[in-house]
Amino acid sequence: MKTISDYQRMKNDGEKIVMLTAYDYPSARLAQEAGIDVILVGDSLGMVVLGYDSTVPVTMADMLHHSRAARRGAGNTFIITDMPFLTYQISAAQALENAGRLVQEGGCEGVKVEGGEEIATQVRAMVRAGIPVCGHIGLTPQSATSLSGYKVQGRTAEAAKKLLHDALALEEAGAFMIVLECIPAQVAELISKRLSIPTIGIGGGAACDGQVLVFHDTLGLFERFVPKFVKQFETLGVKAKDALALYAGEVRSGAFPDAAHSFSMNEDQLQKIYGDGQP
Ligand code: KIV
């Protein structure tokens, strides 16, 4: 399994870090087999798996359930699990208790929290307890309402400086990695250069030390909305729909199941059931 030192070395050597979300056994297994460097059990599962409109309704129980399932499929891939809304903002003690549960019961190696300087105390407490913490700044979906929606962040000089300030505060608090979501590429580049720890971009341009995408976005399995930063590397949603329609058609026409997908008995066995007449 890669360690946080490996991710640090990758940044130092200019080797890109590939992160992908996964939420269950099959998605984590595919990520692991594809050689993904780090799996994120993101609270985006609220939208792409559970069908909510945002990540806010996601609970600790949801994250524990999905983290455990991803752990079973992830093999030796490092897993970071998102801490849900309001499970770390209240106090350092609350953050520590919930992060501990995600590691102990959810089987992840590290946790991710959204926010900057305002949660540095919580980050410090978790890191002191031995829990690797990944930060997340820029567009932070848990607080999208107070950001007036899913918008690019850090567009003004003042906002860009605040992002840099928050990133430095998280690094200083002991975070081992920071996700930069939906910020101008130049701002992400500046932050990536100023930080010693790796940055992982999602809508943060090419200069970040790594990239993350949501599993369902990457494969074209979530069509409700497709942000500009998403590249669909496949259109599995369309392919899956076509395959399911084919299945339905064959059941209705009687073409499925055919002999190749059925079991049969030999004549002797049949004779024993039927004898000379009705069984
Ligand atoms: O929840 C999530 O999947 C995330 C990524 C988009 C970074 O936070």
Side-chain angles (χ1 to χ4, degrees):
M1 181 180 290
K2 285 200 169 68
T3 63
I4 59 179
S5 321
D6 289 317
Y7 301 126
Q8 187 60 56
R9 182 199 52 73
M10 289 170 83
K11 170 170 178 126
N12 299 345
D13 293 353
E15 191 184 328
K16 295 286 185 188
I17 300 165
V18 186
M19 183 190 277
L20 181 72
T21 71
Y23 311 103
D24 52 18
Y25 175 81
S27 56
R29 191 162 164 206
L30 289 169
Q32 188 256 330
E33 287 175 358
I36 297 299
D37 296 312
V38 51
I39 286 174
L40 172 67
V41 181
D43 60 356
S44 51
L45 69 85
M47 298 162 94
V48 299
V49 176
L50 302 178
Y52 296 133
D53 286 335
S54 77
T55 58
V56 171
V58 174
T59 63
M60 274 294 289
D62 293 329
M63 295 313 293
L64 284 167
H65 178 74
H66 286 276
S67 193
R68 279 194 288 263
R71 175 77 279 154
R72 290 190 283 273
N76 65 356
T77 305
F78 194 103
I79 292 184
I80 296 172
T81 296
D82 257 335
M83 297 191 71
F85 178 60
L86 236 49
T87 64
Y88 56 95
Q89 288 94 340
I90 294 170
S91 67
Q94 184 212 25
L96 189 50
E97 189 174 335
N98 285 321
R101 287 193 66 201
L102 290 171
V103 171
Q104 275 189 318
E105 300 169 38
C108 61
E109 278 67 47
V111 298
K112 178 166 80 57
V113 283
E114 295 182 9
E117 189 186 21
E118 71 282 4
I119 56 157
T121 308
Q122 285 91 320
V123 172
R124 197 168 286 112
M126 292 186 278
V127 172
R128 274 206 194 120
I131 299 171
V133 178
C134 175
H136 182 162
I137 58 172
L139 172 53
T140 43
Q142 290 175 8
S143 41
T145 308
S146 41
L147 298 174
S148 300
Y150 295 88
K151 292 182 178 161
V152 179
Q153 302 296 306
R155 277 195 190 277
T156 64
E158 195 188 350
K161 282 184 190 166
K162 166 88 170 78
L163 285 174
L164 176 60
H165 175 83
D166 281 337
L168 289 167
L170 292 170
E171 175 172 281
E172 209 268 319
F176 77 100
M177 184 179 267
I178 299 185
V179 169
L180 304 177
E181 178 162 357
C182 230
I183 65 178
Q186 297 87 342
V187 178
E189 181 172 7
L190 169 72
I191 294 172
S192 303
K193 283 187 175 150
R194 287 288 300 278
L195 292 188
S196 312
I197 58 173
T199 60
I200 306 293
I202 173 160
C208 295
D209 301 304
Q211 298 292 326
V212 58
L213 278 180
V214 166
F215 183 89
H216 294 65
D217 288 340
T218 315
L219 296 178
L221 286 165
F222 186 72
E223 302 291 348
R224 211 159 74 195
F225 63 87
V226 182
K228 176 178 158 71
F229 58 73
V230 164
K231 178 169 177 183
Q232 295 184 333
F233 289 81
E234 247 303 352
T235 51
L236 288 193
V238 176
K239 288 184 176 165
K241 226 179 302 168
D242 289 348
L244 296 179
L246 204 58
Y247 161 65
E250 289 201 9
V251 170
R252 288 177 187 132
S253 73
F256 175 84
D258 55 10
H261 298 94
S262 305
F263 305 98
S264 61
M265 291 175 123
N266 61 32
E267 283 304 320
D268 280 356
Q269 291 163 325
L270 273 180
Q271 178 63 29
K272 283 182 191 147
I273 294 175
Y274 283 95
D276 292 330
Q278 292 295 314

